[in-house]
Amino acid sequence: MLKFWLLFFSFSGHIYQEKRFHNWLENARDWAVSRSRFWGTPLPVWISDDGEELIVMDSIAKLEKLSGVNVFDLHRHNIDHITIPSSRGPEFGVLRRVEDVFDCWFESGSMPYAYIHYPFENVELFEKNFPGHFVAEGLDQTRGWFYTLMVLSTALFGKPAFKNLICNGLVLAEDGKKMSKSLKNYPSPMDVINDYGADALRLYLINSPVVRAETLRFKKEGVFNVVKDVFLPWYNAYRFLVQNAKRLEVEGLAPFTPIDSTTLQDSSNVLDQWINSATQSLVHFVRQEMNAYRLYTVVPYLLKFLDNLTNIYVRFNRKRLKGRTGEEDCRTALSTLYNVLLISCKVMAPFTPFFSEGLYQNLRRVCTGSEESIHYCSFPQVEGERDERIEQSVARMMTIIDLARNIRERHNKPLKSPLREMIVVHPDVDFLDDIAGKLKEYVLEELNVRSLVPCNNTLKYASLRAEPEFSVLGKRLGKSMGVVAKEVKAMSQKDILEFEKAGEVTVASHCLKLSDIKVVREFKRPDSLSDKEVDAAGDGDVLVILDLRLDESLYEAGVAREVVNRIQKLRKKVGLEPTDAVEVYFESLDEDKSISQQVLNSQELYIRDAIGSPLLSSTLMPPHAVSSILSFL
């Protein structure tokens, strides 16, 4: 039996120069083109009985011309009987088709041209669209479809059959074994979808190692975490918008109509500027990465954006969104949130098609001329300028807030307890100007601190030491790493400051940049104060110092915060909407009622502003009022 073989060693090196595909090509063995089967594409090879004469048919027309038979079907049972007279004369008999058929992978590998009947038809269409933009399949196709696509295309056209390859890994059961119907070692997909939704399952898979051609141990709890960490905060941001847009009408004001995005770009509010810039950065990043088929980088960025939207913009702008800073400012904040939610829905639509559509259908009600479905909308384009400076400043602000929270937790100082002062130490004056300027009110309110002191004299509150970034320098320096590391660690504080100012330093004849050396700032506590009175936290870049000492006024402010917190919890307990107006009554249960009265007198404005109404005497309380006992101790 005659077998046909292709030699593949000469086709490596066109794409995927490393890792899996490169390794497969580098070690590829000869692969038989033919298979001994009945069903399949017959090999178009006719051969004489003595094996001396062989003809490969390149068209039906050629077969018909040589055989004199009309060919209407290319399956074996319709062409195996066709013979071709030998060109050497009648005495040499006839040529018959070999019995073998093509290996089905080579049928699949010829897909880019075979499916449009090239070169017999659609020549212009093929040449205009080849190679294809991308192919997508599982990791198990490395030696199958990916390989034969590459081999045949390289042999025929001298180039790959595709420009990009999206390769997914394998989804395994939670125990790491292959999913098995007999073992029932995986949850029913329909149960997962019914419990958490198709979008949650989709996002769980897209944001997993499987999109990087690695294995995934499927866990139903992972899908639940997507609902908890992504969809609920995202929906809560939308719900907050709806509640406060509805409040305008409850208060007798004009219905909410979003301000156009061009006008919103001119907002003077720093967080409006930040979220508008961050939204445009999101659109820019997603378009860039999707154009490069890097699906695995997109979803983490999207999730971080949604986290920032809910935990920074909405959280820090509650007063504005609730109308506490005036109607005009409220409408600007609501319109900004509306615009960001609308754009984020359009960006997320390919990843969460159902949830995005649901939000869009509600958002479009207040926007005339919008498309009927989010899936009819064009993917967003970058509009307006991105402000990288303001995005970096807000990121740094969040670092400072996290560091300060860590100090509070270490000393069991809850956020309800106000503190006197916070010092931020950093050599960059521009950074300090942002924190102590336009972002100051957000830092102070979020951390419940009365004053913020910027300091660019890093030696006043900290000692400096330098450490080499081994992960960066190791491969670059090789054997010189030991010497360089020793000299970097020996740098004096003066040397470190000069290095930070210059941006580079020469160590053991090697030029090191800011990214090569980590400067660590360690807190230098004043001699007169203990660690219970003043403490600090840093991340190597910025140092945050908190004054932990309390006085009478701080105590009273802390009690007022607790009063407000209890009132808000009581509202939630009885199922009140944010727009529901209530009257709040107060009665002191202390023997010395002057203590609580002193707190209420000194903190009256704060409490009134926080709950939207004054505290009334309990003597005026109606019999149907709901009560709660609050201890100041």
Side-chain angles (χ1 to χ4, degrees):
M1 180 180 292
L2 182 64
K3 286 285 184 181
F4 292 86
W5 302 81
L6 280 184
L7 300 180
F8 297 146
F9 59 83
S10 62
F11 298 120
S12 62
H14 287 276
I15 61 172
Y16 302 106
Q17 299 287 338
E18 56 185 29
K19 298 185 179 178
R20 294 185 180 95
F21 201 74
H22 170 77
N23 292 339
W24 170 252
L25 291 175
E26 188 174 50
N27 298 293
R29 299 175 181 176
D30 297 348
W31 192 337
V33 175
S34 61
R35 288 289 182 268
S36 298
R37 304 283 188 273
F38 181 82
W39 295 111
T41 300
L43 285 175
V45 179
W46 269 253
I47 192 169
S48 60
D49 292 336
D50 60 8
E52 294 297 321
E53 193 172 354
L54 184 147
I55 299 176
V56 178
M57 299 299 168
D58 56 13
S59 68
I60 293 176
K62 182 176 180 179
L63 177 59
E64 290 181 335
K65 179 181 178 181
L66 294 177
S67 67
V69 178
N70 290 328
V71 179
F72 61 91
D73 188 311
L74 291 178
H75 286 95
R76 282 193 62 180
H77 57 288
N78 287 311
I79 65 169
D80 276 3
H81 67 280
I82 297 175
T83 60
I84 298 172
S86 173
S87 61
R88 295 175 292 173
E91 66 274 19
F92 289 96
V94 295
L95 282 67
R96 294 180 174 81
R97 196 193 71 80
V98 299
E99 294 183 350
D100 301 276
V101 298
F102 272 111
D103 182 325
C104 63
W105 283 120
F106 289 93
E107 298 174 292
S108 303
S110 64
M111 174 275 299
Y113 26 92
Y115 87 102
I116 56 172
H117 204 212
Y118 175 87
F120 305 102
E121 298 178 71
N122 303 306
V123 174
E124 183 179 353
L125 175 66
F126 171 76
E127 293 178 350
K128 185 178 180 180
N129 293 284
F130 185 83
H133 286 171
F134 76 96
V135 295
E137 249 295 356
L139 180 63
D140 53 330
Q141 294 304 320
T142 300
R143 63 177 294 279
W145 191 45
F146 300 155
Y147 185 42
T148 53
L149 277 170
M150 179 67 67
V151 166
L152 295 178
S153 178
T154 302
L156 292 172
F157 305 104
K159 55 185 176 182
F162 46 87
K163 298 177 183 177
N164 298 278
L165 186 151
I166 299 176
C167 182
N168 62 272
L170 302 178
V171 181
L172 305 176
E174 187 173 350
D175 58 8
K177 297 179 181 178
K178 183 179 179 180
M179 289 187 175
S180 168
K181 289 182 180 179
S182 59
L183 294 177
K184 295 182 180 180
N185 59 345
Y186 61 91
S188 164
M190 293 312 301
D191 287 346
V192 175
I193 292 173
N194 290 334
D195 289 345
Y196 305 124
D199 279 350
L201 175 59
R202 182 185 182 95
L203 206 58
Y204 170 70
L205 293 172
I206 292 174
N207 194 37
S208 73
V210 79
V211 298
R212 299 191 298 273
E214 299 172 10
T215 56
L216 165 67
R217 293 190 177 191
F218 184 90
K219 298 181 180 180
K220 191 175 180 181
E221 294 77 11
V223 185
F224 168 72
N225 289 334
V226 171
V227 176
K228 177 171 62 73
D229 299 336
V230 180
F231 290 102
L232 287 181
W234 189 5
Y235 178 77
N236 285 336
Y238 158 77
R239 186 178 64 172
F240 197 78
L241 168 69
V242 172
Q243 288 173 341
N244 288 284
K246 177 183 174 183
R247 177 187 51 77
L248 295 174
E249 296 185 55
V250 172
E251 295 177 356
L253 302 173
F256 170 71
T257 302
I259 302 169
D260 67 274
S261 58
T262 304
T263 303
L264 292 176
Q265 294 294 326
D266 298 327
S267 172
S268 60
N269 180 273
V270 63
L271 286 189
D272 287 352
Q273 297 168 7
W274 165 72
I275 197 63
N276 285 331
S277 178
T279 303
Q280 296 309 313
S281 293
L282 169 72
V283 173
H284 170 78
F285 180 83
V286 173
R287 292 188 73 94
Q288 168 188 284
E289 296 302 290
M290 292 298 284
N291 284 337
Y293 297 89
R294 290 189 288 265
L295 181 66
Y296 49 88
T297 65
V298 169
V299 175
Y301 194 101
L302 284 167
L303 301 186
K304 181 62 179 176
F305 174 82
L306 292 174
D307 180 66
N308 287 340
L309 174 63
T310 55
N311 289 322
I312 300 180
Y313 187 77
V314 174
R315 179 181 173 86
F316 288 17
N317 265 327
R318 284 172 296 188
K319 285 185 178 180
R320 296 178 66 220
L321 293 164
K322 289 181 177 181
R324 305 270 177 82
T325 57
E327 181 185 351
E328 183 179 352
D329 193 38
C330 173
R331 290 184 182 275
T332 299
L334 288 173
S335 296
T336 300
L337 179 56
Y338 174 91
N339 187 58
V340 171
L341 282 171
L342 184 62
I343 294 175
S344 63
C345 281
K346 291 179 180 179
V347 172
M348 290 288 284
F351 307 94
T352 56
F354 301 108
F355 188 85
S356 299
E357 176 72 0
L359 259 58
Y360 176 78
Q361 288 302 325
N362 289 331
L363 292 171
R364 68 184 287 261
R365 293 179 182 179
V366 294
C367 186
T368 58
S370 57
E371 296 283 359
E372 291 184 18
S373 167
I374 196 168
H375 303 298
Y376 295 165
C377 300
S378 298
F379 196 86
Q381 297 279 355
V382 176
E383 298 176 356
E385 295 183 359
R386 291 181 289 140
D387 190 336
E388 294 182 1
R389 162 79 181 276
I390 208 166
E391 290 187 48
Q392 184 185 45
S393 296
V394 172
R396 284 170 158 176
M397 176 187 74
M398 293 310 299
T399 298
I400 288 171
I401 288 173
D402 288 340
L403 291 172
R405 285 173 178 163
N406 290 339
I407 299 172
R408 278 183 169 276
E409 289 175 6
R410 278 206 305 267
H411 294 271
N412 196 25
K413 298 282 186 183
L415 284 171
K416 297 186 191 70
S417 302
L419 297 177
R420 180 186 292 108
E421 183 179 80
M422 176 173 73
I423 302 171
V424 178
V425 184
H426 196 280
D428 186 347
V429 176
D430 290 337
F431 167 46
L432 294 176
D433 287 344
D434 287 344
I435 298 300
K438 50 193 175 184
L439 294 170
K440 180 179 178 179
E441 62 173 299
Y442 298 107
V443 176
L444 295 181
E445 182 174 356
E446 182 64 20
L447 292 173
N448 196 10
V449 177
R450 289 190 169 176
S451 68
L452 188 154
V453 179
C455 176
N456 69 333
N457 181 2
T458 55
L459 298 183
K460 183 176 181 180
Y461 293 102
S463 59
L464 307 182
R465 60 183 176 85
E467 293 183 354
E469 291 283 9
F470 288 96
S471 59
V472 176
L473 295 173
K475 292 182 180 179
R476 198 170 87 207
L477 300 183
K479 294 181 179 179
S480 302
M481 186 67 219
V483 177
V484 171
K486 184 177 180 180
E487 292 196 24
V488 167
K489 291 179 179 180
M491 290 174 67
S492 67
Q493 298 199 84
K494 181 182 177 182
D495 294 336
I496 295 172
L497 291 174
E498 290 177 353
F499 161 66
E500 287 188 319
K501 185 176 180 180
E504 62 180 37
V505 66
T506 300
V507 177
S509 73
H510 294 280
C511 181
L512 305 184
K513 304 291 184 180
L514 291 172
S515 59
D516 298 326
I517 297 178
K518 180 180 180 181
V519 177
V520 180
R521 289 171 171 79
E522 296 177 332
F523 178 48
K524 188 168 60 179
R525 183 177 291 103
D527 295 335
S528 59
L529 299 173
S530 68
D531 60 350
K532 293 184 179 180
E533 295 174 308
V534 176
D535 203 358
D539 66 345
D541 177 50
V542 63
L543 183 70
V544 175
I545 305 167
L546 284 184
D547 187 339
L548 304 172
R549 294 170 292 179
L550 294 178
D551 58 25
E552 190 67 24
S553 64
L554 294 174
Y555 168 76
E556 292 174 356
V559 171
R561 283 235 176 182
E562 187 62 37
V563 169
V564 169
N565 179 261
R566 288 295 181 91
I567 292 171
Q568 303 294 30
K569 286 183 177 178
L570 200 56
R571 287 181 62 101
K572 186 175 182 180
K573 181 179 179 181
V574 297
L576 293 176
E577 293 289 332
T579 53
D580 293 335
V582 297
E583 292 178 336
V584 184
Y585 303 90
F586 173 82
E587 178 185 6
S588 174
L589 301 180
D590 295 327
E591 291 184 9
D592 184 358
K593 300 185 186 310
S594 63
I595 299 176
S596 57
Q597 194 60 49
Q598 169 63 27
V599 172
L600 296 180
N601 290 340
S602 65
Q603 301 296 320
E604 180 183 7
L605 292 178
Y606 166 74
I607 294 174
R608 182 195 294 262
D609 181 61
I611 66 176
S613 63
L615 280 179
L616 303 174
S617 171
S618 61
T619 58
L620 303 174
M621 183 171 64
H624 59 269
V626 179
S627 63
S628 177
I629 298 176
L630 167 65
S631 173
F632 290 166
L633 298 178

